[in-house]
Amino acid sequence: MSARAGMLLRWILLVGLALAAEPIVTINTLPHLPRRLRYFANSSSILYLDERQGRVYQSDDDGVTWNDVAAKDDQVIDFYLHPYEDYRGYVLTASQSHYATEDRGRTWRKFETPGPPSQVQDALVFSAANRDDVIFMSEKCTESKSSFLGSKCRDHAYLSRKNFGESAQSLRLLVANAASCVFAAGTPALAKTADPELIICSREDPDSSLRWPLNLQLVGSRDGFKSLAKIEVDSRGITGVVGLGAVQSFIVVASHSAGSDELSLFVSDDGESWDRAEFPKLSNGRLEEDAYTVLESRPYSIQVDVLSSSDTSNTFGSLYTSNSNGTYFSCKLEHTNRNELGIVDFENIELLDGIAVANVVANHEDVSREKSTVKRLRTLLTFDDGRNWHNLTADAESLHLHSAGEPHNTGRIFSSHVPGILMGIGNTGEHLESYAKGDLYISVDAGLNWSKALNGPQKYEWGNGGGVLVSVRDDRKPVDELCYSMDRGESWATVSLGRKLLPRILTTVPDASLAKFILVGSDPGGAPPLVVAIDFTTALGRRCGEDDFEKWSVRTHETGEPACHMGHKQFYMRKKTEARCFVADWSASDEQEPCECSKDDYECDYNFVEDKGSCVPVSIRAIMPAGACKPGDKTFRASSGYRKIPGNTCKGEALELTEERDCPKQDDAAKDLPTVVSHDLPDSIKQYFFLERTENASGDDETIVAHLENGEVWITHDFGLQWARVLEAEEIVAVIPHRYFKDWLYCLTEGKIAFVSKDRGQTFRKLSLPAPPNAMGRPIFEFHSTRSGKLIFMGQQGCERASAHNCRITAFRTENGGGDWEKLYDHVEGCAYIGMTAVDARADLVYCTTRLDDSGDLTGRLQLASSVDFFETRKTHFEEVLGFAVFDEFVVVAEVHDGSTLLMQTSVNGEVFAEARFPPRFRVEERQAYTVLDSVTRSIFMHVTINDDADKEYGSVLKSNSNGTYFVTSLDAVNRNRQGYVDFEKLKGLEGVAVVNIVKNQADVDAGLSHKQLQTMMTHNDGGAWSLLKAPERDSRGEVIACTDGCSLNLHGYTERADIRDTYSSGSAIGILIAVGNAGSSLTPYNESNTFMSTDGGIEWREIAKGPHQWEYGDSGSIIVLALDDAETQHVLFTLDEGRTWNNMTFVDEPVRIKDIATLPSDTSQRFVIFAHKAFHRRASSYLLDFGVMRSRQCKLSDDELRDFYLWTPSHPSNEASCLFGHVSQYHRKRPDADCFVGQQRPHSHEILRNCTCTIQDFECDYNYQRANDGTCQLIPGLDPPDHSALCAKDPSLVSWSEPTGYRRIPLTTCAGGPHFDRAEEHPCPGKEAEFGRTRESAIGGFGVFTIIVLCFGSAGAIGYSVYRKGLHRVGQIRLGDEPRRDADNFAVEAAINVVSAAVAIAFAIPVVVRSLYGIVRRRLASRRGYDPLDAEVLVDDFDDF
């Protein structure tokens, strides 16, 4: 066509537009702007939600007229349209009455539900298979007795089988406390593969002690949850579920594990077989909570954008696409733009395979360096699902478009159900400018070429299959006209709206089939909103015929011939540009012609990267299949590096997908001894710790951080093979790992500068603190247990001069890891997130001890206050306290009463406190100490000091009832030291088994006639009964142990350890114990002791080495290493068979003094590191012992075949039925003779086989009773039995109470039947007589220490922390294990700080703040061996508690 003919045609079209019939415009007003406006599919019916008024309006004529739906008298909160049944809709109210339609709103019927809809998730979940099946998520709230804590709400899932045609009572409760539910057949694609009866839910695990969301488990059922099954991957349940949804052909679950904010993604294509999604090891992207977005995806792959920027307020990410089964992901685009809500600038173009548009951050390096940098965005386009990306062009310039992260209308941004016609707002140039500077651009060839259509920003829509395009100016100014084009944007006309309005929404039917549009706008004068209906049907004229359409190819060659794209040629029928007609029955359906495969149809496979046009592996080991390259193997078969692009349909194979590759060089045979690698550090070590990866963590590093005495920080990521100094220009005075998230690490300087790493020390980011860290012995950070970036910082203010009178601690809080700070409270001693502990408290509950009263005035008393709004308001719990601590499920407060009496208050919900009642003979005298020992078995163990004289300290261990208020005596004369530490230790992994040392000669000690003589005792029923340890008959040389009458095994305990992390047991080696001690009538000095071992939970012991040794467990107890303690040596001992045989190994040429043997805190590694000093050297050396070279095969854990493992059953020593706490349980342990390694699998699954009949071991002494010499519980002389009738008033659910018998059931037992030693004559509770009559007719994890000492007035005190001093500033210093415990420059820990109150001075022994001491001891126990830190912040919490 000539240029003149083209101009003539366009002139004719313009004249035609001018002469044609005008669109019909109808204006209505409605009370408020809509929260939601949606069409019923394939219809003219629209629903309009007025959330402010609680109404839904309906139009059946494309917005020309509007009416209320049936719910006129109810408060409507939302509506839903059935995604797979076009005629069905649902209007939900705030009550239990709702409305449903099955004819697109012509009629509505009322239906009832058991409760109101959920407020936190979609209330309705639909099935694509059984269309009448609908899940209703209902909210159920329980009110707290206190308005301060408000109500506690949980969602319950109910199933309707009849599209809510049944009664509310007939709806089946699926899951209580449900976080989310989906049908396995939740999408049309899944309906082809999944069982239509299968329902999958995440719910709170009723047996879990973890807080939300870690307690959320994934379960499934095929019978409406009459029965359910835990969904597992590799025999391990999926827990910590933070996301569950159906995406195209996949069900996707995001799982969070304790200790990391990195997530695991699990994928299934049928809801039955699940796999963990794997992301490339080379990528910097980490799948983190609030840091990933599952995009709209394709039917053949999942698309996920992962946050890759360090800052969370100015973000960008990386785009990943999965293979066809959703399990392996490859990075497609780096530096994708995201907003703060995680919405990504990305859109798959509707209908067109493999075409997508994305925005990237061009100046990502500048943004990474400075978070305030303005992002420079560029727009890219792909035609092959992300393998290649191209610039958008308009008039030979780069074009950039505003996308999903900055939406200005409803629906999709660039495309619709009109094939190939794209629209967007943007500009040409180097990068994207502001929206106000943008213009409307159009492409009619699927994005390959663009042209400017209209000036200025616009809202736009497609209609009648692309036959009409409409646009309205969107520059925040009133408009009175709308633009439209009937020739794909080549020419535009306007239509008057008749009124001025500010445009808010422009929309049409989802499939763009009608020529009718809805424009919603605000009235500039403040009148009610305007709803404008625009109808172009008559304006388009005649009905289109066949000659009005053309066959359009999605891709073409330069010659105009159709080109292959994603393995096929794709065609659509589109109305011709010049055709002036109305498309009556528009339907976008494509036609495809297959193409032969070529290299362009392939991309790099998982763990391969493109290099000079070829796909090469990131490493050979990264692509090796499991079990490949066994000893003797030369090659292995693996991926060639290429895979067909997901969704590509080409014919044939152009490339080989697998090939033989050479195995990496390896020794043909396993070694007889571990390899050793040494490294010298420039100074002695002040502190060290592991940053262990969790199960969900990416990477394969094994990171150790060492803080040296000279202020340097050294890190190794390979367990000590190589060390490197970090932050070389800084002198670091404190290194603080995150207590709960193992990837996070804080390094502090003396001033307001700090550094944080969230990737286990790989990179650091500089932080500005709001104040210098406090130097007053208080914890510096208080961490949140489930939100890694949420923490409280305790800094000091007004302390610039030594004589400053206003020197104080101020608490600040941050939500983003220290990027921004807000003041929390002033004049504090300590603060803590109570709501995110195991205490059953409101999630946002925070405690602070402060010297400010409710009015903000300073007081001489330390008060305990709490808040749920970060101290916008506060509640004072106690007017004067010493401090508080959280012990598992209990809050424990030391209250000062009347200025002279110390009371212990406990709470299980952080709101209501009860005074602890001790046996009457335990009274607060002038000087008495209490040490809370443990609270992980649903009761509190407490040590009450009887003798507090120096070197004579001992007391009684008391045990509470299940709410921590009533205590009974468990054992007398239990040893403690000056600092308040007690010889009491719970065994890790075994319920209710503990070891203590008692003072056997307490009478002589009290009289000053003798030093303490200690004996070791053990309990196997949580303190109900104690017995001496059985001494072995022969020593490690096979010689008979000479032992007199009263001989038993006695062990050195907690109070004597140079490093208090040297616990007897490991959470990964269940039932195995190692200790230093002797056989005899009492404990001998440490240097005269030998080393002993038990493999049956402490029942039988054997000597394994002469002399005292350090020890460490590895590979879940299958490797144990010993080293001579407190002496120079060149050797270590190790066993691979539970101590049956021991091997001596020389690991160094000249003798060294070993400070510590360490491995991963989980004790699952085959690597150990020894820290030692050479004689007369200050510098520390590390020695890596790698046992991985000794065993190449990984043990196989299978319930069907126990080749490598055996089942071990713990038991009570006096119970022949193997019962412990009322049940028989089993644990997997590696067979001693199995030549394999355990690795990261968790074999110690705790399985209860059966419950046992109750015996006397399932009961303990009741309040006011104690054990007599014959083992029975007898009333203490002079005391009365407890009044059990008082329990009725405390627990309204009780129907009856029983006369006291002297016994009470141990909270931990599960026994059933047998004698009930705690039951006697029953009596009804007041008001429960009738119910009673009917009934008759039918007939405490790691070892935490909390010490409070009441001293006589006038007593002197000292500090409970060792600190680093430089000038006048003091920040935590770490003492080495071999250094003197008393240091003239750094006060010893046994003294206490002066807190003078009236006539009494009250103080903590260690530390001043109870909360922090609990953290110290728990963290110290974590890894058992190391340089002994005393600061509350320097060790990670509960390393061994797995």
Side-chain angles (χ1 to χ4, degrees):
M1 179 184 296
S2 66
R4 184 173 181 179
M7 291 179 59
L8 178 62
L9 177 58
R10 283 192 291 274
W11 181 82
I12 294 173
L13 288 173
L14 287 172
V15 172
L17 283 173
L19 297 177
E22 285 284 317
I24 301 172
V25 177
T26 307
I27 299 178
N28 287 280
T29 61
L30 288 175
H32 305 100
L33 289 170
R35 187 176 75 85
R36 184 174 298 181
L37 176 68
R38 289 188 62 187
Y39 275 84
F40 281 92
N42 303 312
S43 77
S44 296
S45 297
I46 313 169
L47 294 183
Y48 180 115
L49 174 61
D50 183 340
E51 188 176 43
R52 291 178 59 187
Q53 195 179 36
R55 295 281 187 86
V56 167
Y57 297 94
Q58 178 176 331
S59 173
D60 294 320
D61 51 14
D62 297 290
V64 175
T65 59
W66 295 88
N67 297 288
D68 274 358
V69 301
K72 295 180 181 180
D73 300 326
D74 295 293
Q75 182 71 23
V76 175
I77 60 174
D78 211 345
F79 70 79
Y80 292 80
L81 302 182
H82 199 297
Y84 313 119
E85 291 291 326
D86 295 347
Y87 288 83
R88 293 182 180 178
Y90 310 84
V91 171
L92 303 185
T93 74
S95 68
Q96 296 171 238
S97 299
H98 317 286
Y99 299 86
T101 180
E102 297 182 15
D103 53 14
R104 291 186 175 135
R106 290 187 177 87
T107 60
W108 294 86
R109 60 176 171 84
K110 195 172 187 178
F111 68 92
E112 303 287 333
T113 56
S118 170
Q119 300 297 305
V120 297
Q121 61 179 307
D122 285 341
L124 299 182
V125 182
F126 301 97
S127 170
N130 298 330
R131 305 295 174 86
D132 287 342
D133 287 359
V134 185
I135 296 173
F136 180 76
M137 305 300 294
S138 178
E139 181 181 70
K140 183 177 181 180
C141 298
T142 56
E143 293 294 330
S144 170
K145 296 178 181 179
S146 168
S147 60
F148 173 72
L149 289 181
S151 58
K152 181 179 179 179
C153 298
R154 294 289 188 271
D155 284 351
H156 290 23
Y158 294 86
L159 175 63
S160 170
R161 289 288 194 184
K162 301 178 180 179
N163 192 34
F164 298 109
E166 64 268 67
S167 65
Q169 293 75 21
S170 299
L171 295 183
R172 178 172 184 81
L173 175 63
L174 297 176
V175 175
N177 300 328
S180 57
C181 290
V182 298
F183 290 97
T187 67
L190 285 166
K192 300 175 183 178
T193 59
D195 185 342
E197 298 298 320
L198 179 58
I199 298 173
I200 300 168
C201 294
S202 64
R203 64 157 191 177
E204 294 184 24
D205 182 356
D207 298 323
S208 174
S209 61
L210 299 175
R211 290 298 298 259
W212 186 95
L214 298 178
N215 64 341
L216 296 178
Q217 63 176 176
L218 196 67
V219 294
S221 176
R222 289 185 174 83
D223 56 10
F225 282 87
K226 295 177 183 178
S227 61
L228 64 83
K230 298 178 182 178
I231 293 177
E232 298 181 335
V233 175
D234 297 330
S235 302
R236 185 178 302 164
I238 300 177
T239 59
V241 178
V242 295
L244 168 64
V247 182
Q248 296 282 5
S249 303
F250 309 95
I251 304 172
V252 181
V253 172
S255 170
H256 192 303
S257 65
S260 176
D261 48 10
E262 193 166 357
L263 302 182
S264 292
L265 205 64
F266 296 95
V267 179
S268 174
D269 58 7
D270 59 6
E272 300 181 44
S273 300
W274 292 81
D275 292 291
R276 176 172 174 165
E278 300 290 345
F279 286 78
K281 295 181 180 179
L282 194 67
S283 169
N284 293 324
R286 286 157 40 99
L287 199 63
E288 296 180 0
E289 188 174 5
D290 297 334
Y292 76 100
T293 304
V294 178
L295 302 171
E296 56 185 330
S297 303
R298 300 285 191 181
Y300 43 78
S301 67
I302 305 171
Q303 293 169 316
V304 178
D305 191 84
V306 179
L307 179 71
S308 58
S309 57
S310 58
D311 184 71
T312 57
S313 59
N314 203 16
T315 61
F316 54 85
S318 299
L319 176 66
Y320 293 86
T321 298
S322 77
N323 60 352
S324 57
N325 64 7
T327 56
Y328 291 94
F329 283 77
S330 298
C331 186
K332 297 299 182 183
L333 185 63
E334 297 277 6
H335 316 124
T336 51
N337 185 50
R338 309 163 53 93
N339 66 14
E340 62 277 6
L341 299 177
I343 299 174
V344 183
D345 278 357
F346 174 86
E347 181 177 321
N348 283 318
I349 300 304
E350 184 85 349
L351 303 177
L352 307 183
D353 296 337
I355 303 180
V357 178
N359 282 345
V360 296
V361 180
N363 60 334
H364 57 89
E365 293 180 350
D366 297 334
V367 173
S368 297
R369 282 192 294 267
E370 178 54 56
K371 68 178 183 179
S372 61
T373 302
V374 176
K375 290 189 284 190
R376 304 296 186 186
L377 305 184
R378 298 180 60 86
T379 303
L380 301 176
L381 177 75
T382 179
F383 287 99
D384 52 12
D385 245 0
R387 182 183 178 190
N388 298 287
W389 293 86
H390 314 276
N391 291 325
L392 273 63
T393 57
D395 298 328
E397 289 189 83
S398 293
L399 174 66
H400 314 290
L401 302 175
H402 292 270
S403 189
E406 190 184 1
H408 290 269
N409 200 14
T410 61
R412 302 177 70 85
I413 306 298
F414 306 119
S415 61
S416 73
H417 224 59
V418 175
I421 301 179
L422 313 184
M423 291 193 283
I425 305 299
N427 59 271
T428 56
E430 291 296 322
H431 59 80
L432 185 63
E433 301 285 354
S434 68
Y435 181 77
K437 296 180 179 180
D439 301 314
L440 176 64
Y441 286 83
I442 291 182
S443 171
V444 296
D445 54 7
L448 188 62
N449 298 285
W450 294 76
S451 60
K452 183 160 68 171
L454 292 171
N455 292 324
Q458 311 277 329
K459 295 185 189 298
Y460 48 86
E461 268 292 358
W462 300 254
N464 199 225
V468 58
L469 308 177
V470 298
S471 176
V472 62
R473 184 87 174 192
D474 186 29
D475 55 5
R476 299 186 178 181
K477 297 178 182 178
V479 299
D480 59 2
E481 65 179 16
L482 179 141
C483 298
Y484 65 94
S485 172
M486 297 183 180
D487 55 6
R488 302 180 189 165
E490 292 188 7
S491 59
W492 293 82
T494 60
V495 57
S496 174
L497 300 176
R499 293 274 299 272
K500 283 187 175 292
L501 56 79
L502 290 168
R504 296 299 185 93
I505 299 173
L506 177 62
T507 188
T508 185
V509 289
D511 63 358
S513 60
L514 300 181
K516 300 176 181 181
F517 301 85
I518 298 292
L519 175 64
V520 180
S522 302
D523 186 279
L530 303 175
V531 182
V532 183
I534 308 104
D535 186 355
F536 287 87
T537 304
T538 57
L540 284 168
R542 63 180 176 84
R543 182 168 179 165
C544 296
E546 287 187 15
D547 294 339
D548 295 309
F549 293 90
E550 62 184 1
K551 188 175 182 179
W552 174 71
S553 175
V554 174
R555 293 296 305 275
T556 59
H557 294 292
E558 293 181 359
T559 60
E561 292 296 315
C564 292
H565 164 68
M566 294 297 289
H568 57 263
K569 299 174 183 177
Q570 188 178 23
F571 304 93
Y572 281 95
M573 298 302 296
R574 296 199 311 191
K575 194 178 77 166
K576 295 177 180 178
T577 303
E578 63 274 14
R580 185 63 178 279
C581 57
F582 172 73
V583 181
D585 298 307
W586 167 252
S587 177
S589 57
D590 68 338
E591 176 185 335
Q592 295 185 4
E593 295 179 5
C595 301
E596 293 294 327
C597 291
S598 68
K599 188 176 180 180
D600 291 338
D601 295 307
Y602 296 82
E603 64 182 4
C604 290
D605 202 355
Y606 173 74
N607 277 334
F608 287 80
V609 294
E610 189 169 348
D611 182 25
K612 298 179 181 179
S614 299
C615 294
V616 298
V618 296
S619 72
I620 290 297
R621 294 193 181 275
I623 65 170
M624 285 172 52
C629 292
K630 297 176 182 177
D633 290 348
K634 302 298 183 183
T635 63
F636 66 97
R637 177 160 286 276
S639 170
S640 66
Y642 295 91
R643 68 172 183 179
K644 190 177 289 186
I645 298 172
N648 193 293
T649 60
C650 68
K651 297 187 301 180
E653 295 292 344
L655 299 174
E656 292 292 334
L657 299 183
T658 62
E659 64 181 30
E660 286 290 323
R661 294 180 177 271
D662 293 333
C663 286
K665 292 182 179 180
Q666 58 181 342
D667 293 333
D668 291 335
K671 295 182 181 295
D672 295 327
L673 293 173
T675 58
V676 180
V677 177
S678 64
H679 193 284
D680 293 331
L681 295 171
D683 203 351
S684 58
I685 298 176
K686 182 187 297 186
Q687 66 183 48
Y688 84 90
F689 39 81
F690 287 84
L691 299 182
E692 183 173 7
R693 291 179 298 109
T694 64
E695 294 176 7
N696 291 340
S698 60
D700 55 4
D701 62 287
E702 294 177 309
T703 299
I704 310 173
V705 180
H707 186 201
L708 307 188
E709 289 285 357
N710 60 9
E712 297 179 4
V713 178
W714 287 72
I715 294 182
T716 174
H717 296 293
D718 50 20
F719 221 107
L721 280 173
Q722 297 177 320
W723 290 83
R725 185 183 175 187
V726 296
L727 304 174
E728 295 187 12
E730 308 294 335
E731 182 177 349
I732 303 301
V733 298
V735 179
I736 305 175
H738 198 294
R739 184 174 299 166
Y740 304 106
F741 289 84
K742 300 175 184 179
D743 299 340
W744 288 65
L745 178 71
Y746 289 87
C747 296
L748 305 183
T749 66
E750 276 194 298
K752 296 183 180 181
I753 299 300
F755 300 87
V756 62
S757 172
K758 57 181 295 187
D759 53 11
R760 299 187 292 278
Q762 300 280 357
T763 60
F764 284 87
R765 180 166 58 95
K766 189 175 182 180
L767 296 179
S768 294
L769 300 176
N774 81 82
M776 303 175 191
R778 306 302 191 267
I780 296 171
F781 289 125
E782 177 63 33
F783 297 100
H784 196 277
S785 63
T786 63
R787 306 293 292 181
S788 58
K790 192 172 183 177
L791 64 148
I792 298 172
F793 167 72
M794 265 71 77
Q796 63 183 31
Q797 292 188 309
C799 307
E800 290 77 13
R801 300 187 308 275
S803 60
H805 297 292
N806 195 34
C807 182
R808 66 199 187 277
I809 296 177
T810 302
F812 302 86
R813 69 181 185 92
T814 179
E815 301 286 326
N816 57 7
D820 302 286
W821 296 94
E822 292 184 11
K823 184 176 178 179
L824 179 64
Y825 215 63
D826 211 349
H827 290 277
V828 302
E829 295 287 317
C831 296
Y833 294 104
I834 301 298
M836 294 316 296
T837 64
V839 177
D840 187 21
R842 181 166 165 173
D844 48 5
L845 179 63
V846 175
Y847 275 11
C848 284
T849 50
T850 176
R851 300 192 183 277
L852 296 179
D853 61 18
D854 291 345
S855 302
D857 298 327
L858 270 175
T859 174
R861 302 182 305 275
L862 186 65
Q863 298 185 346
L864 177 63
S866 66
S867 178
V868 294
D869 55 12
F870 300 113
F871 286 93
E872 292 292 329
T873 60
R874 80 172 234 179
K875 176 181 179 180
T876 300
H877 293 276
F878 299 101
E879 294 294 331
E880 187 172 4
V881 300
L882 289 183
F884 68 92
V886 178
F887 292 88
D888 204 63
E889 68 266 39
F890 298 98
V891 178
V892 180
V893 177
E895 181 192 13
V896 180
H897 182 65
D898 294 333
S900 60
T901 306
L902 190 65
L903 302 179
M904 176 177 168
Q905 302 281 354
T906 63
S907 176
V908 295
N909 63 5
E911 171 193 3
V912 179
F913 284 84
E915 180 184 339
R917 295 182 59 185
F918 302 141
R921 66 189 178 97
F922 294 100
R923 299 182 182 277
V924 177
E925 305 293 344
E926 289 182 344
R927 189 173 70 176
Q928 199 161 6
Y930 301 87
T931 304
V932 176
L933 302 171
D934 184 270
S935 67
V936 298
T937 52
R938 305 185 198 130
S939 51
I940 298 174
F941 278 89
M942 170 176 281
H943 183 276
V944 180
T945 299
I946 302 301
N947 189 333
D948 197 33
D949 293 339
D951 298 324
K952 300 179 180 180
E953 300 90 351
Y954 69 85
S956 296
V957 170
L958 309 182
K959 183 185 177 185
S960 78
N961 59 350
S962 59
N963 65 3
T965 56
Y966 288 89
F967 285 80
V968 298
T969 303
S970 177
L971 186 64
D972 288 321
V974 177
N975 184 53
R976 57 150 282 197
N977 63 11
R978 294 184 186 181
Q979 294 81 29
Y981 292 109
V982 179
D983 277 345
F984 176 99
E985 182 175 325
K986 283 288 189 75
L987 299 193
K988 296 178 181 297
L990 285 181
E991 299 171 305
V993 182
V995 179
V996 301
N997 280 340
I998 64 168
V999 179
K1000 61 175 292 188
N1001 62 332
Q1002 66 264 36
D1004 291 342
V1005 171
D1006 291 341
L1009 302 177
S1010 174
H1011 295 295
K1012 289 189 287 187
Q1013 296 178 12
L1014 304 183
Q1015 277 187 320
T1016 302
M1017 302 191 77
M1018 196 171 198
T1019 179
H1020 287 80
N1021 65 345
D1022 210 33
W1026 297 83
S1027 60
L1028 297 173
L1029 300 187
K1030 180 182 177 182
E1033 296 179 355
R1034 296 182 179 274
D1035 65 9
S1036 55
R1037 297 168 181 166
E1039 299 176 358
V1040 175
I1041 296 177
C1043 206
T1044 59
D1045 293 340
C1047 178
S1048 63
L1049 180 63
N1050 304 298
L1051 308 176
H1052 289 272
Y1054 194 83
T1055 60
E1056 296 184 73
R1057 294 173 184 160
D1059 188 327
I1060 55 179
R1061 292 174 293 178
D1062 290 335
T1063 55
Y1064 301 128
S1065 59
S1066 166
S1068 72
I1070 305 298
I1072 300 178
L1073 292 80
I1074 298 178
V1076 173
N1078 64 279
S1081 59
S1082 63
L1083 189 62
T1084 59
Y1086 185 79
N1087 59 3
E1088 299 176 10
S1089 301
N1090 299 313
T1091 306
F1092 295 83
M1093 179 178 182
S1094 172
T1095 58
D1096 60 2
I1099 298 176
E1100 299 286 342
W1101 291 81
R1102 66 180 183 271
E1103 185 183 289
I1104 56 175
K1106 293 293 184 180
H1109 284 72
Q1110 302 179 40
W1111 63 89
E1112 185 60 273
Y1113 301 93
D1115 196 41
S1116 299
S1118 76
I1119 307 172
I1120 302 174
V1121 178
L1122 301 182
L1124 197 61
D1125 196 12
D1126 203 26
E1128 291 188 351
T1129 183
Q1130 297 173 257
H1131 311 284
V1132 294
L1133 296 172
F1134 69 88
T1135 179
L1136 306 179
D1137 54 10
E1138 292 187 356
R1140 297 180 183 181
T1141 59
W1142 291 88
N1143 304 280
N1144 195 320
M1145 172 190 171
T1146 301
F1147 73 95
V1148 64
D1149 294 333
E1150 56 183 297
V1152 295
R1153 185 176 293 269
I1154 295 176
K1155 299 300 180 182
D1156 195 9
I1157 311 172
T1159 186
L1160 291 182
S1162 61
D1163 292 341
T1164 58
S1165 177
Q1166 296 188 83
R1167 290 177 166 187
F1168 296 76
V1169 63
I1170 294 176
F1171 291 108
H1173 286 264
K1174 297 177 182 177
F1176 310 109
H1177 282 77
R1178 175 181 174 86
R1179 297 169 56 180
S1181 297
S1182 71
Y1183 300 88
L1184 167 63
L1185 275 62
D1186 188 354
F1187 287 83
V1189 299
M1190 299 182 67
R1191 299 178 296 186
S1192 60
R1193 182 178 69 86
Q1194 185 168 14
C1195 304
K1196 181 180 180 182
L1197 178 60
S1198 171
D1199 292 332
D1200 300 328
E1201 180 185 2
L1202 290 177
R1203 182 181 64 171
D1204 296 327
F1205 293 87
Y1206 69 99
L1207 292 171
W1208 176 70
T1209 300
S1211 64
H1212 194 285
S1214 61
N1215 191 319
E1216 297 181 358
S1218 298
C1219 291
L1220 190 63
F1221 291 102
H1223 54 260
V1224 176
S1225 57
Q1226 289 185 330
Y1227 298 84
H1228 286 94
R1229 292 208 309 209
K1230 177 186 167 293
R1231 290 186 179 276
D1233 58 350
D1235 187 19
C1236 58
F1237 67 93
V1238 178
Q1240 292 299 316
Q1241 58 186 325
R1242 302 287 185 191
H1244 304 301
S1245 55
H1246 176 199
E1247 181 180 358
I1248 296 178
L1249 298 182
R1250 58 180 174 84
N1251 288 325
C1252 302
T1253 302
C1254 295
T1255 66
I1256 190 66
Q1257 282 87 23
D1258 297 299
F1259 298 86
E1260 59 191 4
C1261 292
D1262 200 357
Y1263 185 69
N1264 286 353
Y1265 290 80
Q1266 65 181 3
R1267 292 279 178 185
N1269 291 334
D1270 61 359
T1272 61
C1273 293
Q1274 301 292 333
L1275 185 66
I1276 298 173
L1279 301 182
D1280 296 324
D1283 181 11
H1284 285 187
S1285 66
L1287 297 175
C1288 295
K1290 294 184 176 181
D1291 187 354
S1293 65
L1294 288 180
V1295 176
S1296 63
W1297 60 275
S1298 172
E1299 295 281 355
T1301 66
Y1303 295 89
R1304 65 183 183 187
R1305 185 182 172 96
I1306 295 173
L1308 205 60
T1309 187
T1310 63
C1311 70
H1316 292 281
F1317 293 92
D1318 61 335
R1319 308 300 292 179
E1321 184 179 353
E1322 296 279 337
H1323 303 278
C1325 288
K1328 301 289 184 71
E1329 290 79 6
E1331 188 175 352
F1332 175 74
R1334 291 193 298 271
T1335 304
R1336 300 281 286 187
E1337 291 170 3
S1338 61
I1340 298 183
F1343 171 88
V1345 177
F1346 166 49
T1347 303
I1348 305 164
I1349 301 177
V1350 182
L1351 301 173
C1352 301
F1353 65 90
S1355 297
I1359 193 165
Y1361 282 88
S1362 173
V1363 295
Y1364 176 87
R1365 172 182 286 275
K1366 185 173 183 181
L1368 296 176
H1369 302 287
R1370 297 157 65 101
V1371 181
Q1373 183 188 15
I1374 308 309
R1375 308 304 310 164
L1376 286 183
D1378 64 334
E1379 293 182 352
R1381 294 193 179 185
R1382 300 167 180 81
D1383 189 291
D1385 296 324
N1386 295 282
F1387 288 120
V1389 295
E1390 52 265 47
I1393 246 182
N1394 251 353
V1395 183
V1396 180
S1397 174
V1400 179
I1402 304 172
F1404 295 93
I1406 304 177
V1408 179
V1409 178
V1410 184
R1411 168 77 177 176
S1412 80
L1413 180 54
Y1414 171 61
I1416 293 173
V1417 181
R1418 288 191 56 161
R1419 290 190 297 278
R1420 286 176 178 169
L1421 280 177
S1423 183
R1424 287 181 318 286
R1425 264 315 211 183
Y1427 296 86
D1428 182 15
L1430 297 178
D1431 189 323
E1433 306 302 334
V1434 296
L1435 287 176
V1436 178
D1437 183 44
D1438 273 345
F1439 275 135
D1440 274 335
D1441 290 343
F1442 283 84

